[in-house]
């Protein structure tokens, strides 16, 4: 009676044993073996392990190891110990370990890149490694991290939209622009989750009556003014992307900058009038299209220009060195 079933049972072997396993395909053998061993693991006794830490003296050099010591194999005997289980030998204090050992030279691997899911989890836990035990404990107990459940996704999206981070496969990596910001931003406090921990601790003190609300607000105003002054008086170094470094005026060879309305030559004070608006005849010109224009002399076919009659047309933007202008080129080379 399906109406009375709250959930379905797991897939389990029946009492019908295959008479000839060789008659099964390779995939069927693997699946049957998997199901049988799964059932056997359930009915076998529990495996008993002890979490252990070892200190080993090798010629005066102390090495440490941590893992599990197996006291009773239990269901491990069905199909071996799980691969992720780090098993140590059973030893007693003062034991001498026989055998030889090799010295291998290697390099540590950097931590794996965050995926978007990993990053959200890290934001939830941010602050739990703070130096202040009180702030660390408070953030852990109150589940305070960077942002809230409702805002963390939006914060990450904002970083994508501002080109501070990008995706490489499933991993999130910083862009050159993002690295530049972190390296050049003079206000270190803004870049650290410790600030969130400190402010949460102050808010908790206000709630408990140990700190005056006005004192906290005055401190926030004071530090904000300090940050503003620090950023205002900094060198003001401007980030230039790799593509922008390649953007040279096709007429005077001076750098091109991204202005308010379009790409413009920095030699405009000397009379160079080279400029391409971000939007040409109702069609937005991308940075990659503009880069192709100034490096190779023309773009690929751009679809969707709107003429004076209101009709849509496709064309290539091409540099005219004789007239020092930008022309449309249509199929067949017509202008």
């Amino acid at each position: 009676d399906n109406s009375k079933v709250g959930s379905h049972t797991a897939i389990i072997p029946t009492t019908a044993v295959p008479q000839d396993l060789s008659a099964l395909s390779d995939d069927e053998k693997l699946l049957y073996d998997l199901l049988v061993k799964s059932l056997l693991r359930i009915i076998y006794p529990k495996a008993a392990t002890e979490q252990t830490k070892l200190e080993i003296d090798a010629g005066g050099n102390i090495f440490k190891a941590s893992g599990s010591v197996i006291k009773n194999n239990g269901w491990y005997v069905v199909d071996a110990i799980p691969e992720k289980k780090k098993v140590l030998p059973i030893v007693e204090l003062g034991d001498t370990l026989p055998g030889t050992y090799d010295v291998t030279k290697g390099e540590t691997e950097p931590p794996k890149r965050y995926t978007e899911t990993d990053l959200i989890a890290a934001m939830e836990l941010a602050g739990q490694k703070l130096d202040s035990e009180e702030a660390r404990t408070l953030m852990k107990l109150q589940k305070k991290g960077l942002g809230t459940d409702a805002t963390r996704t939006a914060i990450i999206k904002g970083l994508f939209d501002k080109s501070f981070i990008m995706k490489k496969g499933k991993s999130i990596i910083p862009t050159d622009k993002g690295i530049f910001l972190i390296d050049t931003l003079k206000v270190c406090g803004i870049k650290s989750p410790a600030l969130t921990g400190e402010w949460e601790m102050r808010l908790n003190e206000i709630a408990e009556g140990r700190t005056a609300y006005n004192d906290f607000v005055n401190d926030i105003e004071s530090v904000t003014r300090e940050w503003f002054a620090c950023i205002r008086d900094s060198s003001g170094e401007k980030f230039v992307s790799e593509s922008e470094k390649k953007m040279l005026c096709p007429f005077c060879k001076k750098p091109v900058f991204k202005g308010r309305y379009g790409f413009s030559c920095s030699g405009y004070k000397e009379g160079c009038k080279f400029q391409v608006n971000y939007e040409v005849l109702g069609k937005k010109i991308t940075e990659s299209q503009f880069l192709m224009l100034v490096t190779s002399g023309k773009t690929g076919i751009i679809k969707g220009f709107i003429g004076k009659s209101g009709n849509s047309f496709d064309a290539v933007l091409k540099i005219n060195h004789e007239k020092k202008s930008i022309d449309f080129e249509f199929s067949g080379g017509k202008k």
Side-chain angles (χ1 to χ4, degrees):
D1 185 351
N2 289 337
S3 65
K4 296 181 180 180
V5 176
S7 60
H8 293 284
T9 58
I11 299 173
I12 58 174
T14 67
T15 55
V17 180
Q19 297 299 314
D20 184 8
L21 287 174
S22 62
L24 301 178
S25 68
D26 290 341
D27 286 343
E28 287 172 337
K29 289 177 186 176
L30 291 171
L31 182 57
Y32 181 71
D33 183 72
L34 180 69
L35 292 169
V36 169
K37 287 179 177 178
S38 175
L39 179 62
L40 291 175
R41 285 196 297 267
I42 293 171
I43 62 176
Y44 259 67
K46 293 181 179 179
T49 61
E50 285 183 353
Q51 290 300 113
T52 305
K53 291 184 179 180
L54 294 179
E55 285 193 359
I56 304 163
D57 186 339
N61 298 299
I62 302 298
F63 293 86
K64 296 182 179 181
S66 61
S68 299
V69 171
I70 298 176
K71 308 299 288 186
N72 184 355
N73 279 306
W75 61 268
Y76 288 165
V77 299
V78 176
D79 56 350
I81 300 165
E83 291 183 4
K84 294 182 179 180
K85 201 75 175 176
K86 188 177 180 181
V87 179
L88 298 175
I90 298 177
V91 295
E92 300 293 337
L93 184 64
D95 281 356
T96 300
L97 301 179
T100 59
Y101 54 84
D102 297 320
V103 177
T104 303
K105 184 179 180 180
E107 295 182 355
T108 58
E109 293 185 0
K112 291 183 178 180
R113 297 281 191 185
Y114 285 123
T115 63
E116 196 160 346
T117 302
D118 294 335
L119 186 55
I120 290 174
M123 292 172 72
E124 292 175 356
L125 300 174
Q128 294 189 16
K129 294 183 179 180
L130 298 177
D131 293 333
S132 169
E133 185 176 354
E134 184 181 355
R136 186 172 63 248
T137 303
L138 180 67
M139 291 187 73
K140 186 175 182 180
L141 291 175
Q142 297 188 356
K143 297 182 179 180
K144 298 286 187 180
L146 297 180
T148 66
D149 292 340
T151 61
R152 289 184 186 112
T153 301
I155 291 171
I156 295 173
K157 182 179 183 300
L159 294 176
F160 277 119
D161 292 344
K162 294 179 176 66
S163 300
F164 291 137
I165 58 176
M166 62 182 289
K167 274 194 176 181
K168 187 175 182 180
K170 291 184 178 180
S171 299
I172 294 176
I173 62 173
T175 61
D176 291 339
K177 184 179 180 182
I179 294 172
F180 173 84
L181 175 66
I182 294 298
D183 288 344
T184 57
L185 185 61
K186 303 297 182 184
V187 182
C188 295
I190 296 178
K191 300 183 283 187
S192 172
L195 178 69
T196 302
E198 292 169 6
W199 285 2
E200 287 294 342
M201 187 168 62
R202 293 285 301 278
L203 289 171
N204 188 61
E205 290 174 352
I206 292 171
E208 294 179 352
R210 292 186 288 151
T211 296
Y213 170 78
N214 288 338
D215 290 344
F216 177 66
V217 172
N218 290 336
D219 289 343
I220 295 292
E221 290 181 355
S222 176
V223 75
T224 302
R225 293 179 189 279
E226 290 177 13
W227 289 346
F228 176 78
C230 180
I231 295 172
R232 180 194 59 200
D233 299 335
S234 62
S235 61
E237 184 179 355
K238 183 180 182 297
F239 172 73
V240 180
S241 66
E242 289 300 316
S243 61
E244 285 180 289
K245 292 176 184 177
K246 299 175 184 177
M247 291 182 184
L248 299 178
C249 175
F251 304 139
C252 69
K253 303 305 178 184
K254 289 190 175 182
V256 171
F257 66 91
K258 295 164 69 175
R260 184 175 181 182
Y261 301 106
F263 304 94
S264 302
C265 177
S266 59
Y268 67 94
K269 291 183 179 179
E270 288 78 27
C272 184
K273 297 181 179 179
F274 175 71
Q275 179 177 338
V276 177
N277 291 338
Y278 293 136
E279 187 173 303
V280 176
L281 295 184
K283 180 66 180 179
K284 289 184 178 180
I285 306 301
T286 66
E287 186 172 317
S288 59
Q289 289 170 335
F290 178 78
L291 181 61
M292 182 183 292
L293 176 67
V294 295
T295 53
S296 63
K298 62 180 180 179
T299 68
I301 295 177
I302 300 175
K303 297 183 178 182
F305 291 112
I306 306 297
K308 292 181 178 179
S309 62
N311 294 326
S312 174
F313 67 93
D314 305 336
V316 169
L317 292 180
K318 183 178 180 179
I319 292 174
N320 187 325
H321 287 277
E322 292 181 4
K323 298 181 179 179
K324 290 189 175 182
S325 62
I326 308 297
D327 297 339
F328 287 106
E329 183 178 275
F330 303 94
S331 60
K334 295 180 180 181
K335 294 182 180 179

